[in-house]
Amino acid sequence: MRRSMHALWAWCYDLLWFLADLRHSQPRRFAALSAAMLGSLVLVPLLALTLSDGGSAASHQHQAMTVRTDVAGAQRVVPYNGLPTSIAQDATSLESGPMILPEQQRVVRVLSDVLHEEIDFAGLIYGSDGSEGGILPLDNGVVPSSGPRFDTSWELILPSARIRAAVVQVGLTSDGEMGSPDNPFVAGWFNRSAVPGEPGNALLGGHRDYQDRDGNVDVGVCWELDETRVGDQLLMFDGARNHYFVYEIVDKVTIRPDSSAAEKYLSQTRESVVTLITCAGEFDEDSHSYDQRIIVVALLTAVARPDA
């Protein structure tokens, strides 16, 4: 240790003599060297501090991104609170992933292989291709939905309610609520909800009955929706891809539209869900509306192509 200290002092002594000699013999070189040494004494600590702050900032940024990711994830993975608890837990387990069928993992099968029972298409008497156009007055939540700009490539098929109907786009009412179609024979897809077949809650609405602009009264596409039961199948046919997205009914309720419980059925989901809504209960002549809603929730289980 003493030898090391002695050697250090000897080196410093020699350096001082070298600098003194350099100052007299080569003043410009001495000035440049002094500036460099002084700069290093200032810059090295500053650089170390900067790197330390930068590392800290990077760490905070990473934490912030993680928090945002966690928050966003929490919004996506909260179990759909309209589903029975056991199904919701299975469908949205963080360990097992969502109960959806990602595009790259989908196994497209033949429709007859995934149906619980054969569909009697001739018996699907409620619904149409939408060619009647808008025949309902634009009030009580009805919004414009007829014409090419509202068309989709989708068709709703629900055998238990004898429904086969074109799906059109509907937007918001003037009150900021989900609108209903101006044609009572089609299903209205709320175009701010998820796309059918993809992760999220695809909201559909249909009329139970109607009175058109000429005063004619008749039944609508969802006249028999109350006949649907948990375990029944619901199909969304995508004509653009020639695929059926096959769902299973996992929940059905009848509730008041102004109840707190109604909001959960409009929530977005991690799993691929279709929620179909229609009117029910007592009809109020003054408000021209029903006091309850039937809500059917279906979970995606398979993707199939038509039988050859």
Side-chain angles (χ1 to χ4, degrees):
M1 180 68 179
R2 289 182 178 180
R3 288 184 180 179
S4 298
M5 292 297 296
H6 180 74
L8 179 60
W9 280 112
W11 182 84
C12 291
Y13 183 81
D14 291 340
L15 178 61
L16 291 173
W17 274 108
F18 169 78
L19 292 175
D21 182 68
L22 186 65
R23 178 185 178 187
H24 290 287
S25 61
Q26 302 183 46
R28 290 185 178 179
R29 190 173 181 182
F30 172 81
L33 182 60
S34 299
M37 293 176 65
L38 181 62
S40 64
L41 291 174
V42 175
L43 290 176
V44 168
L46 182 61
L47 181 60
L49 181 62
T50 302
L51 290 175
S52 176
D53 289 343
S56 176
S59 176
H60 288 310
Q61 182 182 14
H62 173 72
Q63 291 174 3
M65 290 177 65
T66 300
V67 170
R68 286 196 294 270
T69 300
D70 289 343
V71 171
Q75 292 174 345
R76 288 195 300 267
V77 303
V78 168
Y80 179 59
N81 47 19
L83 300 180
T85 302
S86 60
I87 295 177
Q89 289 176 346
D90 292 342
T92 58
S93 168
L94 290 175
E95 290 77 18
S96 62
M99 189 174 175
I100 58 175
L101 303 177
E103 190 72 42
Q104 65 274 19
Q105 297 180 8
R106 287 174 178 156
V107 178
V108 179
R109 303 163 65 184
V110 175
L111 181 61
S112 58
D113 291 342
V114 298
L115 292 178
H116 295 169
E117 57 185 54
E118 185 178 356
I119 298 175
D120 175 18
F121 282 94
L124 305 181
I125 61 174
Y126 298 109
S128 75
D129 61 3
S131 58
E132 303 85 2
I135 64 174
L136 302 181
L138 300 180
D139 57 16
N140 288 334
V142 175
V143 297
S145 56
S146 295
R149 69 190 182 99
F150 298 106
D151 290 344
T152 75
S153 61
W154 295 92
E155 183 180 48
L156 169 66
I157 299 171
L158 181 54
S160 57
R162 300 201 286 173
I163 295 173
R164 184 178 186 180
V167 176
V168 299
Q169 298 184 51
V170 295
L172 291 169
T173 67
S174 58
D175 296 329
E177 298 178 347
M178 173 183 169
S180 57
D182 60 12
N183 183 331
F185 310 120
V186 301
W189 166 65
F190 184 42
N191 56 19
R192 299 193 179 194
S193 67
V195 174
E198 299 300 327
N201 186 8
L203 297 171
L204 301 179
H207 295 278
R208 180 173 180 268
D209 53 19
Y210 70 92
Q211 182 175 9
D212 65 18
R213 288 194 293 257
D214 297 325
N216 300 310
V217 176
D218 207 339
V219 299
V221 63
C222 290
W223 178 249
E224 291 189 10
L225 185 59
D226 196 34
E227 299 300 316
T228 296
R229 298 289 180 265
V230 170
D232 292 340
Q233 289 182 307
L234 178 153
L235 285 71
M236 296 293 294
F237 177 65
D238 184 0
R241 287 187 280 184
N242 198 33
H243 282 175
Y244 289 92
F245 289 83
V246 183
Y247 296 77
E248 184 170 322
I249 307 298
V250 293
D251 198 10
K252 177 196 170 188
V253 295
T254 301
I255 58 176
R256 294 184 61 87
D258 56 355
S259 69
S260 58
E263 296 181 5
K264 66 184 180 181
Y265 292 99
L266 304 180
S267 302
Q268 275 308 303
T269 60
R270 183 180 182 182
E271 59 272 19
S272 184
V273 166
V274 164
T275 299
L276 177 59
I277 306 169
T278 195
C279 296
E282 298 294 328
F283 185 77
D284 187 332
E285 292 288 348
D286 294 332
S287 64
H288 293 279
S289 63
Y290 286 91
D291 64 350
Q292 292 185 322
R293 299 291 183 270
I294 297 173
I295 301 177
V296 169
V297 181
L299 192 66
L300 181 64
T301 58
V303 181
R305 64 179 182 272
D307 291 7

